[in-house]
Amino acid sequence: MGVSRVLAAAGAAIVLTSLVWWWTTFGDLVRYGYLSWNEAGRCLVSDSDLCTLARVLCLGAHPRIAIGYWTSAFWIGLAVLSVSVLTPSLRRAAP
């Protein structure tokens, strides 16, 4: 398995995990009307006072084991995916 495939798989796993983590943190807030989809979507990619308040509200409703969404997880996943696209395959060409 080439380096680019490993990086692509890792990046995709990180992005998918961050999406699930984001939805776990902000999904109930959207469903109950505390945040709009647009506001919650902004919390996926950037942090603001509104996102911080929403995470605090979410952590009050979930077990203390839950950790509030970390915006950088999404960006790290995208960075790893980008590196996988830019990394050439290390396979040797057939003679």
Side-chain angles (χ1 to χ4, degrees), residues 67-88:
I67 299 171
Y69 175 71
W70 184 49
T71 307
S72 296
F74 180 76
W75 291 112
I76 290 169
L78 283 181
V80 172
L81 274 174
S82 297
V83 169
S84 75
V85 171
L86 298 174
T87 303

Side-chain angles (χ1 to χ4, degrees), residues 15-66:
V15 168
L16 288 175
T17 301
S18 68
L19 287 171
V20 170
W21 187 11
W22 167 80
W23 181 249
T24 301
T25 303
F26 294 101
D28 288 339
L29 297 171
V30 170
R31 267 182 259 151
Y32 294 128
Y34 296 124
L35 287 177
S36 68
W37 280 102
N38 195 14
E39 292 166 336
R42 281 188 230 133
C43 293
L44 175 65
V45 296
S46 66
D47 203 9
S48 68
D49 291 338
L50 181 65
C51 298
T52 302
L53 175 62
R55 277 195 308 273
V56 170
L57 289 174
C58 174
L59 289 177
H62 287 87
R64 280 300 185 207
I65 297 171

